Amino acid sequence: MKAVVLPDWGEELSVEQRAVPDPAPDEVRVEVRACGVTRTVENAIQGGLDDDPALVPRVPGHEFAGRVDAVGDAVTDLSVGDRVLAYFYLTCGQCDACRRGEANQCTDFGGWVGVNSEGAYAEYATLPAANALPVPDGLSYSGAAVAADGLATPLHICERTAVGDDDTVLVVGAAGRIGIHLSQLAAARGAHVLAADVRPDRLAHVDAVTGPAVETVDASGTDFAERLESATTHGDGPTVVVDTVGDVGTLRDAWDALAMGGQVVSLTTHHERSFAPELNEFVVKEASLLGSRYATKQQVVRAARLLADGRVDPVVTDEVGLDAVPSVHAAIRDGETHGMTVLDPSR
Ligand SMILES: [Zn+2]
């Protein structure tokens, strides 16, 4: 089969021929029909999740969906032909967090699909059966690839912060796949959404794919905090701020503009970036600063249903074949992408 291979952490991807993998007893083999080519994968390629030399060469790619093509001997709940999408985290299934349905907090964490196991930048991928979640009828494979992370992560954020119609939600980095689906989802839950990004072309894209409940805000320049106040009712500021970017200056502006009782959510996995407000600022505004870590399996399944039901539209900006994947990653590194590019290995 054809596969995109990372020879070593931080190196260029190459397109190679590999043997079709056989599933282990507890795995299924999936004929890959759609896989997101995303900034999260780029971070993994650069060694941002794990840079153990024993893990490379590696086929990256984790935001994928496809058709079950073979099942391991011990798999009883999946059959050839089932439509599945992948859960990103390799979890133990036995710890307290896994048992209570919070696999994203697994305490015997096994790593990430596409980092600690072979991923889906290929025609076929093996996956633990426990990571293969159902794709609802009516949802395309590319939509299911969006659900796997691009919408599941926003759903986890919205449920953690209980986003509803009293909220003004500021999304920092709104043009990326997480930002654009979060903007749509928060609006669908009744919130007023301020979608912030630093480039006019990216903001125009957000404007084109979201409804009237989403207002775009230019986050460039020095007066972002004032722009936020003027964009909120009575100048009260946003009640929920979600930082998808990790730019500390922008986060400081958003913190300064935060409404009383507001919540700030960080998704940044960059190392060596810190944000430390004075303790009294938490008290004066009764503010909360939260980290958000992917999503539970149930939330991935619910994200897929939200897309199947049309409550949120999957924003797929481009579909490419395997040969184009290295150049898409070059564009991601150059900041030249918005929305989500999806790989279809049959192209
Ligand atoms: Zn666990």
Side-chain angles (χ1 to χ4, degrees):
M1 68 172 184
K2 210 186 227 188
V4 178
V5 178
L6 176 71
D8 199 354
W9 303 112
E11 288 193 359
E12 290 295 322
L13 297 165
S14 64
V15 182
E16 299 177 8
Q17 286 293 324
R18 282 204 160 189
V20 174
D22 286 323
D26 62 346
E27 290 181 337
V28 295
R29 182 172 67 210
V30 179
E31 181 194 356
V32 179
R33 302 295 296 273
C35 181
V37 184
T38 67
R39 189 167 294 281
T40 303
V41 183
E42 175 59 26
N43 182 36
I45 286 171
Q46 296 303 327
L49 298 179
D50 195 331
D51 60 0
D52 185 342
L55 294 172
V56 283
R58 179 61 81 206
V59 176
H62 66 275
E63 298 169 38
F64 76 97
R67 176 185 167 279
V68 173
D69 170 74
V71 296
D73 293 341
V75 176
T76 55
D77 55 348
L78 287 165
S79 306
V80 170
D82 286 352
R83 285 162 26 101
V84 296
L85 66 95
Y87 186 70
F88 182 22
Y89 287 180
L90 298 166
T91 57
C92 76
Q94 304 295 323
C95 71
D96 285 352
C98 283
R99 286 178 191 277
R100 66 174 182 258
E102 293 177 313
N104 63 320
Q105 296 179 4
C106 176
T107 53
D108 192 13
F109 187 60
W112 300 263
V113 171
V115 176
N116 301 78
S117 68
E118 298 288 26
Y121 282 179
E123 293 177 80
Y124 296 89
T126 53
L127 185 70
N131 284 60
L133 304 177
V135 176
D137 290 345
L139 183 62
S140 66
Y141 284 116
S142 63
V146 168
D149 190 349
L151 185 60
T153 295
L155 181 60
H156 184 62
I157 295 163
C158 284
E159 293 190 348
R160 279 206 72 190
T161 56
V163 165
D165 52 13
D166 288 340
D167 283 305
T168 297
V169 179
L170 168 65
V171 181
V172 178
R177 78 194 190 295
I178 300 292
I180 211 157
H181 293 107
L182 173 60
S183 297
Q184 282 195 66
L185 178 61
R189 293 169 70 103
H192 175 212
V193 179
L194 304 175
D197 214 291
V198 292
R199 278 185 20 192
D201 57 327
R202 292 166 65 89
L203 284 172
H205 172 70
V206 173
D207 216 21
V209 300
T210 56
V214 177
E215 181 181 349
T216 56
V217 182
D218 181 0
S220 64
T222 54
D223 53 349
F224 180 47
E226 290 100 275
R227 254 174 271 151
L228 287 178
E229 280 169 21
S230 64
T232 54
T233 316
H234 314 303
D236 290 347
T239 58
V240 176
V241 172
V242 184
D243 170 43
T244 74
V245 178
D247 181 272
V248 175
T250 308
L251 192 55
R252 179 78 238 181
D253 287 339
W255 177 265
D256 288 344
L258 190 67
M260 293 291 282
Q263 305 175 83
V264 173
V265 183
S266 171
L267 298 185
T268 305
T269 56
H270 292 293
H271 299 275
E272 296 165 5
R273 291 191 195 176
S274 58
F275 175 68
E278 287 181 22
L279 292 176
N280 92 329
E281 296 177 28
F282 285 92
V283 178
V284 168
K285 278 193 178 169
E286 202 162 58
S288 304
L289 183 54
L290 309 173
S292 189
R293 182 176 166 90
Y294 187 37
T296 68
K297 291 181 185 180
Q298 291 86 341
Q299 284 166 331
V300 175
V301 171
R302 286 209 297 281
R305 282 204 206 109
L306 286 169
L307 292 164
D309 293 346
R311 294 202 56 210
V312 176
D313 293 325
V315 180
V316 175
T317 37
D318 203 8
E319 293 195 71
V320 300
L322 284 160
D323 291 327
V325 169
S327 62
V328 175
H329 273 282
I332 289 171
R333 281 196 292 279
D334 293 341
E336 293 302 322
T337 58
H338 51 67
M340 180 156 153
T341 298
V342 169
L343 161 69
D344 174 357
S346 71
R347 288 173 73 97

